Amino acid sequence: MEPGLASRGALPAAPPLPRWLTRHSLSPCLKIRNHIYSMPSPTYKVPSVTKCQASLATNYIRETSEVVDLDWENLGFGLVETDFMYVAKCGPDGNFSKGEVLPFGPIAVSPSAGVLNYGQGLFEGLKAYRKTDGSILLFRPEENATRMITGAERMCMPAPTVEQFVDAVKQTVLANKRWVPPTGKGSLYIRPLLMGSGAVLGLAPAPEYTFMIFVSPVGNYFKEGLSPINLIVEDKFHRASPGGTGGVKTIGNYASVLKAQKIAKSKGYSDVLYLDAVHDKYLEEVSSCNIFVVKDNVISTPAIKGTILPGITRKSIIEVAQSKGFKVEERLVSVDELLNADEVFCTGTAVVVSPVGSITYLGKRVEYGNQGVGVVSQQLYKSLTSLQMGLVEDFMDWTVQLN
Ligand code: COI
């Protein structure tokens, strides 16, 4: 076997550092577990710490200021690099190592990694909010852990246990706690990744997996902010098909929607609403969020049937709506119903609840509530976000308090 190429089961040896990394050799350059490198980026904020275990990270952050000095009023949904990320590895025994909290930075993977060649990868998204007393709340992190386990099974990957996942999220958030926006200014978006990092050539599951988490402070997902978004119903592309991977959070699902999204945005729409690939008349989801229609105070949303992502915000909105006495139906929802709805809204971790102001289908535009925010959407948004931000008592027992 060639030196540096791992046999199935062994960790791949570190490739030599590329020139663009060694260029920075005057600054501390980190070699981690033989094959992940991190280096200070131009905006890097923790120059004096090169590597730290979770406990060291916890000590370190005690010495830093409580909240970073950012322009919190103008946060959008773009990456803001923070201090630390979390990394854990899993070899062929299927067990993840005790992970490490490391300085945020680039990683190196083999060009032959399963994730790069065959898309063996999943991601998750969840948020941490700062309460008015300064403490930090996570929202239903065990739901993301469970969804990652389901997705990993579909993508032939081992997954961290629910405990490992939740513990890793907590460590990552605490290490980056000064990046959690002040109450009401946004949230810390948490992005767990699971990928086949081991080298493969023939089509096969990778021999090694990496579970990582990075975070970024975020504000509103859509540039419209909390104003209603304008969707176009896609009549050419589909997001998922029966038997495919539409129901799990695999990275390829998100690459596959970029084309239609790009076309829609070039025409001034906010995003694309997909229909089912079999009948072309039932709603599935928007590129990155679930869809709800409201008619006569009955809330309907497409049922989870393999092609739709089981959104955690979707599930939470259904439960909040039911707790408020709304009738919620999970079933096939047709385009006709959409066009005749009183209100339409989307849900997702990134968007939370986003009211829809108009839908365009085959050239016909239908507007809802005079472009205003519908009363049901408004009520559900308020109820859910108050819970997430700890502004009301957590009667659902959904939040996990840190520090
Ligand atoms: C999320 O809401 O977490 C998503 O997956 C959307 C993402 C594409 C930003």
Side-chain angles (χ1 to χ4, degrees):
M1 179 177 311
E2 282 177 53
L5 276 187
S7 63
R8 198 180 150 82
L11 292 175
L17 280 176
R19 279 180 71 86
W20 65 272
L21 265 180
T22 49
R23 256 191 307 133
H24 294 262
S25 55
L26 285 180
S27 354
C29 186
L30 178 65
K31 186 178 172 194
I32 301 158
R33 290 175 165 247
N34 251 4
H35 50 159
I36 291 183
Y37 302 96
S38 166
M39 60 162 214
S41 65
T43 51
Y44 200 65
K45 330 267 178 340
V46 190
S48 59
V49 178
T50 52
K51 176 176 180 176
C52 72
Q53 304 292 335
S55 54
L56 293 183
T58 314
N59 288 341
Y60 173 76
I61 54 168
R62 282 203 196 104
E63 291 155 25
T64 61
S65 59
E66 275 302 293
V67 181
V68 289
D69 187 17
L70 267 191
D71 180 7
W72 299 112
E73 302 301 329
N74 293 306
L75 266 187
F77 200 91
L79 179 69
V80 176
E81 296 185 0
T82 69
D83 302 328
F84 296 105
M85 62 186 186
Y86 174 95
V87 184
K89 298 265 174 190
C90 173
D93 69 354
N95 296 318
F96 279 84
S97 63
K98 187 172 176 319
E100 291 175 302
V101 175
L102 302 167
F104 179 90
I107 61 169
V109 288
S110 165
S112 192
V115 65
L116 297 182
N117 291 264
Y118 302 124
Q120 212 188 4
L122 290 171
F123 74 90
E124 276 298 328
L126 65 159
K127 282 177 173 172
Y129 291 89
R130 190 179 293 279
K131 283 178 69 175
T132 42
D133 66 5
S135 64
I136 296 167
L137 287 182
L138 296 177
F139 186 70
R140 308 187 86 176
E142 66 295 336
E143 291 286 337
N144 296 85
T146 312
R147 188 167 66 182
M148 180 169 267
I149 291 170
T150 309
E153 206 277 320
R154 176 67 179 82
M155 302 304 287
C156 256
M157 299 195 279
T161 64
V162 173
E163 292 71 31
Q164 281 170 330
F165 182 102
V166 174
D167 180 58
V169 168
K170 288 179 179 172
Q171 286 188 45
T172 317
V173 172
L174 282 174
N176 291 293
K177 73 174 182 183
R178 67 197 191 106
W179 297 90
V180 182
T183 315
K185 304 286 181 204
S187 57
L188 189 73
Y189 185 76
I190 306 161
R191 174 53 65 83
L193 297 171
L194 178 63
M195 64 186 119
S197 47
V200 283
L201 192 55
L203 180 57
E208 183 212 66
Y209 294 86
T210 300
F211 171 51
M212 299 188 63
I213 306 180
F214 68 91
V215 297
S216 176
V218 294
N220 293 323
Y221 183 72
F222 287 114
K223 68 170 170 32
E224 289 82 352
L226 296 178
S227 310
I229 57 170
N230 300 300
L231 299 178
I232 180 163
V233 178
E234 179 54 47
D235 57 9
K236 181 166 164 218
F237 299 107
H238 289 107
R239 176 188 169 274
S241 54
T245 57
V248 297
K249 215 163 167 62
T250 188
I251 54 177
N253 289 348
Y254 295 80
S256 79
V257 297
L258 293 177
K259 172 89 176 166
Q261 189 187 55
K262 185 175 170 194
I263 295 169
K265 288 193 172 177
S266 74
K267 295 180 180 164
Y269 297 102
S270 318
D271 215 327
V272 173
L273 170 58
Y274 284 91
L275 299 181
D276 77 286
V278 178
H279 306 281
D280 244 335
K281 69 170 189 180
Y282 297 113
L283 314 187
E284 290 218 323
E285 59 180 88
V286 178
S287 307
S288 61
C289 33
N290 296 112
I291 184 105
F292 286 75
V293 303
V294 185
K295 182 78 185 171
D296 299 332
N297 273 339
V298 175
I299 302 171
S300 308
T301 191
I304 301 299
K305 52 172 180 58
T307 52
I308 292 169
L309 188 80
I312 295 159
T313 312
R314 172 189 180 279
K315 181 175 169 177
S316 306
I317 279 290
I318 291 174
E319 293 171 32
V320 165
Q322 286 168 335
S323 79
K324 301 213 160 295
F326 284 101
K327 184 169 179 216
V328 183
E329 298 179 345
E330 293 179 75
R331 57 175 174 81
L332 291 175
V333 181
S334 68
V335 182
D336 284 347
E337 288 179 76
L338 172 78
L339 301 178
N340 288 304
D342 299 330
E343 276 179 50
V344 178
F345 62 89
C346 297
T347 64
T349 299
V351 302
V352 192
V353 175
S354 188
V356 175
S358 77
I359 297 272
T360 301
Y361 177 56
L362 301 178
K364 183 181 164 206
R365 181 180 162 112
V366 173
E367 293 187 353
Y368 304 95
N370 259 342
Q371 287 277 298
V373 181
V375 284
V376 177
S377 325
Q378 173 97 56
Q379 189 184 350
L380 296 178
Y381 171 79
K382 181 105 190 356
S383 302
L384 182 66
T385 52
S386 305
L387 272 171
Q388 291 175 322
M389 294 192 267
L391 299 176
V392 293
E393 197 201 331
D394 179 8
F395 59 95
M396 296 295 210
D397 202 17
W398 282 341
T399 53
V400 175
Q401 175 140 358
L402 303 181
N403 60 345

